[in-house]
């Protein structure tokens, strides 16, 4: 009997070991697939930008047409290679993109890579502060709304969330400027820093372009405070847009988690409702937040165009509008290509974090 009883257990254990080994390699396959998907994503976005930009003709004619004599215009077009077949230009453009050569701007005659480095740091700083505002505002208020479910605080917070993500970011920016900069006069109205602070940071030997880091390098608390004061209103205008999404998402997921069996078991042991929300239901509700952060970064980058224009925050969004006005399609292509890479990499990083936290996303 003992021999017969042992026979079925051996293949079962083998299958369990095989299954465990298979699951252990699941995260590697998942991350590899997600990484490989970055390539077609960037390729499609870059291709769309190229053909949409060429729909109105070559960049030289679009930027300088009417300001140069016909023979001078033709000479510029020939020098830039825009009189060649469009497919030849397209494949050459792809080759330059993959080697990091984004070309030279037509309106300012600067390397596009230099423009990206100069203005990209400002946009990255704004997006970081905005995401910080979204997390600080959205997650705690979402938990409060779940705790007071279907009561007055919950109703107020739901209306607040709708207002946050339904209000145009430029209108929110103008309203914040009116209240805090014009009426109360407690915050700067525009810019990234005062002229004096920018001069001090300009003398630094190792400037990063991120004013928060550069202000710390000066060792002057007044410069650091000035930089933070200038970042408050732009970060609020852009961050509240995403905070409304986080608030609704956290509320929905905390309410759903409160109905699970393990929470019911904790409730039956006498755990109070506040502890259930803050301890037992809190962490599972954060998983969806992590998975949508990548999408929200794309939303923040899109909103940065209007935010930076409203607050004269000289980042990629601000300079993108300037290049569009100048019809400098070479610069526009480079900026959009960089934004596509940032969004794709952000989503990949978020996928890694989500897979480590919740193994269910791998399968």
């Amino acid at each position: 009997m003992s021999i017969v009883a042992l026979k079925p257990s051996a293949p079962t254990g083998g299958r369990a070991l095989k299954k465990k080994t298979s699951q252990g390699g699941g995260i590697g396959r998942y991350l590899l697939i997600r990484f490989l998907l970055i390539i077609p994503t960037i390729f499609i976005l870059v291709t769309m930008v190229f053909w949409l930009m060429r729909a109105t003709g070559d960049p030289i004619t679009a930027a300088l047409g009417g300001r140069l004599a016909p023979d001078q215009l033709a000479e510029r077009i020939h020098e830039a290679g825009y009189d060649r077949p469009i497919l030849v230009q397209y494949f050459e453009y792809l080759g330059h993109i993959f080697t990091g050569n984004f070309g030279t701007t037509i309106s300012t005659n600067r390397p596009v890579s230099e423009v990206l480095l100069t203005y990209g740091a400002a946009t990255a700083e704004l997006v970081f502060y905005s995401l910080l505002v979204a997390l600080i505002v959205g997650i705690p208020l979402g938990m409060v709304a779940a705790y007071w479910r279907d009561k007055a605080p919950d109703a107020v917070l739901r209306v607040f969330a709708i207002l946050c993500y339904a209000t145009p970011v430029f209108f929110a920016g103008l309203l914040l400027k009116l209240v805090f900069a014009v009426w109360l006069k407690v915050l700067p109205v525009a810019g990234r820093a005062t002229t004096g602070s920018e001069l001090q940071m300009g003398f630094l030997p190792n400037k990063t372009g991120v004013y928060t880091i550069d202000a710390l390098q000066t060792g002057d608390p007044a410069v650091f405070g000035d930089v933070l004061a200038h970042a408050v209103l732009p970060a609020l205008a852009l961050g509240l847009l995403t905070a409304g999404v986080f608030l609704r998402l956290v509320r929905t997921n905390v309410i759903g988690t409160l109905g699970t069996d393990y929470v019911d078991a904790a409730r039956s042991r006498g755990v109070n409702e506040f502890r259930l929300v803050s301890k037992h239901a809190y962490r599972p509700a954060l998983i969806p937040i992590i998975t949508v952060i990548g999408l929200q970064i794309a939303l923040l980058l899109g909103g940065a165009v209007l935010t930076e224009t409203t607050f004269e925050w000289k980042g990629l969004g601000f300079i993108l509008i300037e290049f569009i006005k100048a019809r400098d399609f070479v610069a526009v292509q480079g900026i959009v290509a960089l934004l596509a890479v940032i969004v794709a990499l952000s989503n990949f990083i978020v996928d890694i974090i989500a897979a480590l936290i919740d193994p269910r996303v791998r399968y």
Side-chain angles (χ1 to χ4, degrees):
M1 290 296 292
S2 61
I3 297 176
V4 176
L6 286 173
K7 287 183 179 180
S9 63
T12 303
R15 284 195 300 270
L17 180 61
K18 183 178 180 180
K19 183 178 180 181
K20 183 176 180 181
T21 304
S22 176
Q23 289 179 352
I27 187 171
R29 290 194 301 271
Y30 170 77
L31 294 180
L32 177 62
I33 293 171
R34 298 300 299 175
F35 179 76
L36 293 177
L37 286 175
I38 294 176
I39 299 174
T41 301
I42 297 174
F43 172 77
I44 292 171
L45 289 173
V46 167
T47 299
M48 288 178 60
V49 171
F50 177 87
W51 290 103
L52 287 174
M53 293 291 100
R54 292 300 193 278
T56 57
D58 66 90
I60 301 292
T61 302
L64 303 176
R67 291 189 289 169
L68 293 177
D71 56 338
Q72 292 178 326
L73 187 63
E75 183 180 354
R76 290 287 298 272
I77 292 173
H78 179 71
E79 288 177 355
Y82 291 123
D83 55 350
R84 295 175 298 169
I86 190 67
L87 283 177
V88 174
Q89 298 180 45
Y90 169 66
F91 287 114
E92 183 180 13
Y93 170 70
L94 289 181
H96 288 163
I97 287 292
F98 287 118
T99 57
N101 180 12
F102 294 96
T104 304
T105 64
I106 299 171
S107 56
T108 60
N109 198 30
R110 294 174 60 189
V112 177
S113 57
E114 180 184 323
V115 173
L116 298 178
L117 289 174
T118 302
Y119 294 93
T123 297
E125 187 175 22
L126 176 60
V127 169
F128 172 78
Y129 281 130
S130 303
L131 189 60
L132 198 62
V133 168
L135 293 172
I136 292 174
V137 174
I139 293 178
L141 292 184
M143 294 174 61
V144 171
Y147 180 75
W148 296 100
R149 177 184 179 184
D150 298 329
K151 295 181 181 178
D154 180 30
V156 171
L157 289 174
R158 278 188 287 173
V159 172
F160 172 74
I162 293 172
L163 289 175
C164 283
Y165 62 73
T167 303
V169 66
F170 69 90
F171 179 76
L174 292 174
L175 190 61
L176 289 170
K177 287 172 69 172
L178 181 64
V179 174
F180 293 99
V182 178
W183 291 350
L184 300 178
K185 297 183 179 183
V186 293
L187 290 171
V189 68
R192 296 180 64 195
T194 60
T195 304
S197 297
E198 289 186 340
L199 286 175
Q200 287 194 53
M201 291 184 288
F203 289 114
L204 291 172
N206 299 313
K207 292 184 295 184
T208 63
V210 179
Y211 275 16
T212 306
I213 298 175
D214 292 342
L216 288 172
Q217 289 188 64
T218 64
D220 188 346
V223 175
F224 183 69
D226 178 54
V227 168
L228 290 182
H230 280 80
V232 171
L233 293 184
L236 280 175
L238 189 55
L240 289 177
L241 175 70
T242 305
V245 178
F246 287 171
L247 194 158
R248 294 295 297 266
L249 194 59
V250 169
R251 175 189 178 274
T252 302
N253 283 279
V254 168
I255 291 174
T257 307
L258 288 174
T260 57
D261 293 338
Y262 76 91
V263 173
D264 288 337
R267 187 180 286 116
S268 66
R269 294 196 301 270
V271 179
N272 62 62
E273 201 69 18
F274 177 78
R275 185 173 178 82
L276 287 175
V277 171
S278 60
K279 298 295 182 182
H280 295 270
Y282 169 62
R283 290 185 180 178
L286 288 183
I287 295 174
I289 290 288
I290 295 172
T291 58
V292 302
I293 280 180
L295 298 176
Q296 296 307 312
I297 288 177
L299 179 65
L300 291 174
L301 287 172
V305 175
L306 295 174
T307 307
E308 290 178 0
T309 304
T310 303
F311 289 95
E312 297 181 22
W313 184 280
K314 294 184 179 180
L316 288 178
F318 178 86
I319 200 64
L320 177 62
I321 296 297
E322 297 299 315
F323 283 131
I324 290 175
K325 290 178 183 178
R327 302 180 67 81
D328 193 332
F329 293 163
V330 175
V332 173
Q333 286 175 174
I335 292 173
V336 174
L338 176 65
L339 295 178
V341 172
I342 292 173
V343 172
L345 290 177
S346 299
N347 279 279
F348 176 65
I349 293 171
V350 168
D351 288 337
I352 294 176
I353 297 173
L356 295 175
I357 294 176
D358 186 3
R360 293 174 298 178
V361 303
R362 311 173 198 169
Y363 306 106

